[in-house]
Amino acid sequence: MDQAAFQVIVLGPTGGPKEDAVTGLLVRSTSTEWSKSSVVAVDAGTLLAGIIRTLSEHISIDNNGKAVVKDGPFVGMKLRHITAQANAAYIFREVIASVLITHPHLDHLSGLAINTPLVEASNGPKTVAALPSAISAMKNHMFNDVIWPNLSDEDGGAGLITYQRLVEGGNPRFGRGESRGYVRACDGLVTKCLSVSHGRCRQQFNAETGRHHRVGSSVFAADSVVMPARTLSLDHGDGSFYSPARSPHLGASVTASPAKDNNWAVVESSAFFIRDDVTGSEIIIFGDIEPDSVSLEPRNKRVWEIAGPKIAAGTLRAIFIECSYNDSVDDETLYGHLCPRHLIAELKVLATKVDEAQSPHTRGRSSKRKRKDSVPSHDQVSPRSVRPLAHLAKSNTMSSPRGAPANSSDANVGDSSDKIADGYTKNISEPGNIDVLPAAGSKSNNTDAAVSDSEQLPLAGFTVYIIHIKDTLTDGPHPSERILQELRQQSEEAKLGCKFFVPKQGEGIWI
């Protein structure tokens, strides 16, 4: 079993409406051992509060009066202080090297704004990296001395943060070989950012001015066929972003391509490829994203074209991607997000790119097996423990319910209460999950069957972590249960082979 290359700590796994759990992830290379500048944050809807909450659950005082973390996602970190709050401040100031922002919506940014005054001059400014459109929005609409003080080092600000404007698709001046285009994210990790679409709005980013302007305003050339703004989507008259295909007439469905409506511009979001320097392994973390099938500017296919060969080579280990709603939501009310039917459609494109990246001999064998009627059961051994395909032999994803490695002393890993059969333990990394994992050192009797049955599946052994689920705050099952059910059922019908998991807040995932 390969050693984990990444640890991802989920500070905020949801898309709201609760403000204490919105999107925020920490990522580090396992080779860095919690050293200074060894962690990168991806989005910061929840940041410092999530660190404090997670530390509070796992911190204790030893016989010498020192604070220690014996389990949980921060296990192994040498704490500088006694309380969770003081140690969280240390992590924010010194351990987190930079913050990657996928897009500037508040559920991905608010924690950063509130937390930034904690930065100390002795540590230098905190790097905030994003595409130019996101930097523009933060600079002009948040850190602008109106919504929030200008804490940046631009335009006479306080200098607590410094903007890093990323080159879309990667900067070819940096890196060599497979790392070409990647820039430093933190010690041990490099990143490359690709643009994706998150719906539409009437604010367009102008690269020359570095600002956003309303589409149809005097900044842009008038279009004789553009209708007055008051006649557009009267049920959505505030100019906010909206994803689905709507006509200019009272929100009715359209049959023509939505891209022809020049009154709308794309809301730009991002997909971050994050690469481990030591192993060359990668993960992708998506911001909010809509399906190509309803987008003004379909951009997802380009991400899949890059990701497919990496999966085939065994270097791309997992993706973190949103699935905000279940399939009861129609396209007209997706608002720039995914639901299971659209995520599966996107993963089908990815699966095609994996097939294309394999050798002709392998593709031919796979095509023959795809004609079989049998579909592997969901009860087969979890892909976190078995990598049945040759092109995934190098890849391994491990997750514990509290973020500890498989050989950790965490009471929730390998505890007798979780054992359900000789040599097996329950995987309880998300609500309702009852996948079976081989215990350390054990051998599965189903391995041979998994190899023979699942070779036909292009994404066999590949793990998809679902984030940004929007909580309904109602009685009854959590929305993740239905979303997972729909994803797993449709994935099985599509013969993809990937596995889906919904991480909990405060969970550490080893990949």
Side-chain angles (χ1 to χ4, degrees), residues 352-386:
T352 299
K353 301 306 175 184
V354 173
D355 278 339
E356 291 174 355
Q358 296 177 24
S359 67
H361 177 72
T362 303
R363 288 205 304 270
R365 183 171 67 248
S366 176
S367 298
K368 291 180 181 179
R369 286 183 175 144
K370 285 182 180 178
R371 288 193 288 268
K372 293 183 179 181
D373 294 329
S374 61
V375 178
S377 167
H378 286 304
D379 294 332
Q380 62 184 267
V381 177
S382 167
R384 303 185 189 194
S385 300
V386 175

Side-chain angles (χ1 to χ4, degrees), residues 437-466:
L437 301 175
S442 68
K443 295 183 178 180
S444 168
N445 294 329
N446 295 329
T447 302
D448 294 337
V451 170
S452 61
D453 290 343
S454 64
E455 275 190 333
Q456 62 180 316
L457 306 180
L459 299 181
F462 189 69
T463 306
V464 180
Y465 292 96
I466 303 301

Side-chain angles (χ1 to χ4, degrees), residues 190-206:
V190 291
T191 187
K192 179 171 69 174
C193 182
L194 270 71
S195 170
V196 296
S197 175
H198 176 30
R200 64 190 68 181
C201 68
R202 289 203 288 270
Q203 295 284 337
Q204 180 167 308
F205 176 67
N206 187 312

Side-chain angles (χ1 to χ4, degrees), residues 26 29-30 33 59 66 167 215 244 257 262 312-313 472 475 499 511:
L26 301 181
S29 168
T30 57
E33 298 182 354
I59 198 170
K66 294 184 178 181
V167 176
V215 175
S257 170
N262 295 322
T472 56
D475 294 332
K499 295 293 183 180
I511 302 173

Side-chain angles (χ1 to χ4, degrees), residues 377-428:
S377 167
H378 286 304
D379 294 332
Q380 62 184 267
V381 177
S382 167
R384 303 185 189 194
S385 300
V386 175
R387 293 298 184 201
L389 289 182
H391 71 270
L392 287 171
K394 298 179 182 179
S395 178
N396 177 59
T397 302
M398 297 176 290
S399 175
S400 73
R402 295 186 180 272
N407 60 356
S408 168
S409 60
D410 189 335
N412 288 291
V413 179
D415 184 82
S416 60
S417 62
D418 288 335
K419 294 188 177 180
I420 58 177
D422 291 339
Y424 291 87
T425 60
K426 285 189 294 185
N427 169 20
I428 55 173

Side-chain angles (χ1 to χ4, degrees), residues 13-22 107 323-326 431 467-481 483 502 505:
T14 80
K18 292 197 304 178
E19 73 277 12
D20 65 341
V22 289
D107 57 331
C323 192
S324 296
Y325 307 103
N326 63 50
I467 55 176
H468 204 270
I469 292 176
K470 291 185 177 293
D471 200 341
T472 56
L473 301 183
T474 59
D475 294 332
H478 190 272
S480 62
E481 295 189 20
I483 289 172
V502 175
Q505 186 174 25

Side-chain angles (χ1 to χ4, degrees), residues 217-444:
S217 72
S218 59
V219 176
F220 299 98
D223 190 330
S224 59
V225 301
V226 172
M227 301 178 66
R230 288 183 179 273
T231 68
L232 295 180
S233 300
L234 297 185
D235 54 338
H236 296 321
D238 63 352
S240 300
F241 81 96
Y242 300 97
S243 127
R246 290 191 180 258
S247 77
H249 301 289
L250 302 179
S253 298
V254 295
T255 55
S257 170
K260 295 181 180 180
D261 184 352
N262 295 322
N263 290 281
W264 296 100
V266 166
V267 177
E268 190 170 55
S269 184
S270 310
F272 284 104
F273 286 73
I274 300 178
R275 180 180 177 87
D276 176 52
D277 281 339
V278 175
T279 64
S281 298
E282 297 190 41
I283 60 175
I284 306 176
I285 299 179
F286 286 84
D288 293 355
I289 178 176
E290 70 175 349
D292 273 352
S293 59
V294 304
S295 179
L296 282 174
E297 296 181 10
R299 303 179 183 184
N300 301 338
K301 183 179 178 181
R302 182 169 171 236
V303 178
W304 304 137
E305 288 172 343
I306 297 173
K310 294 179 184 292
I311 294 176
T315 57
L316 181 58
R317 296 191 173 199
I319 65 174
F320 289 75
I321 192 168
E322 70 132 287
C323 192
S324 296
Y325 307 103
N326 63 50
D327 274 339
S328 67
V329 175
D330 58 27
D331 288 358
E332 284 70 31
T333 49
L334 278 175
Y335 304 130
H337 295 290
L338 293 176
C339 59
R341 65 180 178 274
H342 285 302
L343 177 52
I344 293 299
E346 294 293 336
L347 291 175
K348 286 181 181 179
V349 178
L350 174 59
T352 299
K353 301 306 175 184
V354 173
D355 278 339
E356 291 174 355
Q358 296 177 24
S359 67
H361 177 72
T362 303
R363 288 205 304 270
R365 183 171 67 248
S366 176
S367 298
K368 291 180 181 179
R369 286 183 175 144
K370 285 182 180 178
R371 288 193 288 268
K372 293 183 179 181
D373 294 329
S374 61
V375 178
S377 167
H378 286 304
D379 294 332
Q380 62 184 267
V381 177
S382 167
R384 303 185 189 194
S385 300
V386 175
R387 293 298 184 201
L389 289 182
H391 71 270
L392 287 171
K394 298 179 182 179
S395 178
N396 177 59
T397 302
M398 297 176 290
S399 175
S400 73
R402 295 186 180 272
N407 60 356
S408 168
S409 60
D410 189 335
N412 288 291
V413 179
D415 184 82
S416 60
S417 62
D418 288 335
K419 294 188 177 180
I420 58 177
D422 291 339
Y424 291 87
T425 60
K426 285 189 294 185
N427 169 20
I428 55 173
S429 63
E430 95 289 335
N433 181 31
I434 54 172
D435 288 338
V436 177
L437 301 175
S442 68
K443 295 183 178 180
S444 168

